[in-house]
């Protein structure tokens, strides 16, 4: 194999959107290769695909972390001639022989339609050639042991046997930027992941109670694998916590803390959308009424990508992306001091307005 053929989902990629998406994806892939120290000789855009020339065995680890890639295959690039394609297909079968292959199929896909044969004709010609050369093999369209893919571009053909599913989503930056409120918990790293997956470049903000924020930095490093542009700021919040303890009855404290987070962001990062790991009904501060009250103190767009997820779903994603093991490490977060045994579950803006006004950010 001498290259990787990289596919993206083309749904919704119309008109002017398309080159922008493709350029962003290309930049994302280059960034990821650099981040993981993967050597490559060339990376190019062809119609509907990106071709990466790399012999580095670890290139697939980097590609598996790039949002916007739907799937990819390690492939052999060859000149666009039926004889050349045959030769490479024979090579592939030869190298798969030790795996006791008995059945195969050829699946051709033309990325451009100006080649002088249809996909079906190519399937038949190559299939027949394989049967002649390897009479012990049989075609199985439904359940082949070896599925040989051929993709036809303007000037080259690509031959491969495996398709790796990738993350999907949109390349970083096509949806702009946003702030993600990162706690030491399980949910907010997953919220950051979900919003990055939809093409947002992210600045993580963590409001800290202590100076030992190693755990937060570890979560940041893990998330950075999916977006090397990711930023983290840690903002000491003790002074504000103390004001909240001073001015607020205990039942409102967590809600006031959440409002203080949002107002702080609005002041220091004006016009940035704010993303949280809130999840409906999970804790007292996350009832519809309380979420509405928190939002009412700010005009910022607040996005809550996990709002409808079950905790179990969130945990599964956290495990898959590698943040779970870090999130369950012990940590004293801002809210630990402020939790109440009887938190208000239906705070109205009117009843807490005066307290909020006293907090100096
Ligand atoms: P998580 O697992 O993300 O901590 P949670 O279910 O524990 O979520 P809360 O502690 O109520 O929920 O926090 C709700 C959201 O507020 C978090 O998902 C996060 O976006 C934000 N948040 C909480 N604590 C902090 C913090 N110390 N710094 C920044 N954001 C925070
Ligand atoms: Mg939390």
């Amino acid at each position: 194999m001498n290259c990787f053929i990289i596919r993206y989902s083309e749904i919704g990629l119309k008109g002017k959107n398309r080159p922008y998406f493709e350029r962003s994806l290309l930049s994302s892939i280059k960034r990821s290769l650099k981040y993981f120290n993967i050597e490559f000789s060339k990376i190019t855009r062809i119609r509907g695909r990106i071709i990466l020339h790399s012999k580095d065995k670890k290139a697939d680890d980097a590609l598996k972390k790039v949002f916007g890639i739907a799937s990819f295959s390690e492939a052999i690039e060859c000149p666009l001639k039926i004889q050349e394609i045959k030769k490479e297909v024979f090579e592939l079968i030869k190298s798969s022989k030790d795996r006791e292959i008995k059945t195969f199929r050829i699946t051709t896909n033309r990325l451009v339609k100006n080649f002088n044969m249809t996909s079906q004709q190519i399937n038949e010609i190559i299939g027949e050639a394989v049967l002649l050369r390897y009479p012990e093999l049989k075609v199985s369209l439904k359940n082949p042991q070896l599925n040989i893919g051929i993709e036809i571009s303007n000037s080259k053909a690509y031959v491969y046997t495996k398709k790796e599913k990738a993350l999907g989503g949109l390349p970083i930056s096509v949806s702009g930027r946003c702030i993600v409120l990162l706690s030491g918990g399980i949910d907010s790293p997953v919220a950051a992941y979900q919003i990055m997956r939809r093409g947002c470049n992210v600045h993580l903000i963590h409001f800290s109670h202590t100076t030992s924020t190693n755990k937060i930095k570890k979560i940041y490093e893990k998330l950075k694998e999916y977006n090397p542009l990711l930023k983290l700021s840690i903002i000491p919040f003790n002074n504000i916590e103390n004001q909240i303890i001073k001015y607020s009855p205990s039942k409102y404290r967590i809600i006031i803390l959440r409002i203080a987070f949002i107002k702080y962001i609005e002041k220091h990062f004006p016009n940035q959308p704010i993303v949280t790991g809130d999840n409906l009904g999970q804790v007292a501060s996350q009832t519809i009424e309380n979420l509405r009250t928190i939002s009412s103190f700010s005009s910022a767009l607040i996005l809550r990508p996990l709002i409808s997820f079950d905790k179990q779903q969130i945990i599964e994603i956290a495990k898959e992306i590698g943040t779970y093991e870090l999130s369950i490490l012990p940590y004293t977060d801002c809210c630990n001091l402020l939790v109440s045994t009887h938190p208000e579950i239906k705070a109205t803006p009117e009843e807490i307005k005066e307290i909020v006004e006293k907090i100096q950010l």
Side-chain angles (χ1 to χ4, degrees), residues 317-329:
I317 299 173
K319 283 182 177 166
E320 225 167 87
I321 66 176
T323 54
Y324 181 78
E325 294 305 320
L326 305 171
S327 290
I328 57 175
L329 297 171

Side-chain angles (χ1 to χ4, degrees), residues 31-194:
R31 242 182 347 252
S32 183
L33 293 167
K34 189 163 172 230
Y35 187 77
F36 288 100
N37 286 319
I38 307 293
E39 283 189 30
F40 64 98
S41 52
K42 204 167 71 171
I43 181 162
T44 42
R45 271 196 289 157
I46 60 170
R47 205 187 142 72
R49 298 285 184 267
I50 288 173
I51 306 297
L52 165 67
H53 288 266
S54 170
K55 288 188 179 141
D56 195 322
K57 283 283 156 225
K58 290 197 305 286
D60 56 343
D61 290 341
L63 297 178
K64 277 181 195 156
K65 296 256 162 79
V66 178
F67 296 119
I69 299 180
S71 73
F72 62 88
S73 298
E74 221 181 323
I76 298 170
E77 183 185 82
C78 68
L80 187 49
K81 295 212 175 78
I82 215 74
Q83 280 312 325
E84 299 283 342
I85 299 173
K86 261 187 214 169
K87 198 176 97 198
E88 297 304 343
V89 169
F90 291 163
E91 281 299 313
L92 267 184
I93 294 179
K94 212 162 88 189
S95 61
S96 321
K97 270 313 222 180
D98 47 331
R99 288 195 282 130
E100 293 265 314
I101 301 294
K102 293 199 177 66
T103 57
F104 76 101
R105 73 169 276 172
I106 308 285
T107 310
T108 304
N109 180 13
R110 290 186 310 165
L111 303 171
V112 289
K113 306 294 176 200
N114 53 6
F115 189 57
N116 60 5
M117 286 175 213
T118 65
S119 297
Q120 188 49 30
Q121 283 169 331
I122 300 170
N123 290 344
E124 285 166 12
I125 291 170
I126 303 289
E128 276 163 24
V130 170
L131 289 172
L132 263 180
R133 162 86 53 126
Y134 299 98
E136 69 279 18
L137 291 184
K138 281 203 175 77
V139 173
S140 163
L141 295 182
K142 276 214 176 112
N143 200 13
Q145 287 167 308
L146 188 66
N147 190 351
I148 299 171
I150 300 171
E151 298 205 5
I152 304 289
S153 82
N154 250 331
S155 58
K156 304 276 185 204
Y158 299 88
V159 183
Y160 61 90
T161 54
K162 278 197 207 111
K163 217 180 212 185
E164 292 268 5
K165 202 167 176 300
L167 296 177
L170 300 173
I172 291 293
S173 293
V174 298
S175 304
R177 348 179 92 261
C178 64
I179 300 285
V180 175
L181 298 188
L182 181 76
S183 72
I186 295 168
D187 304 338
S188 47
V190 175
Y193 174 85
Q194 293 291 345

Side-chain angles (χ1 to χ4, degrees), residues 13-40:
L13 282 189
K14 299 207 182 78
K16 274 192 269 171
N17 253 343
R18 190 192 183 98
Y20 179 53
F21 176 100
E22 290 176 344
R23 269 196 314 260
S24 303
L25 182 56
L26 193 66
S27 310
S28 279
I29 296 170
K30 284 185 191 164
R31 242 182 347 252
S32 183
L33 293 167
K34 189 163 172 230
Y35 187 77
F36 288 100
N37 286 319
I38 307 293
E39 283 189 30
F40 64 98

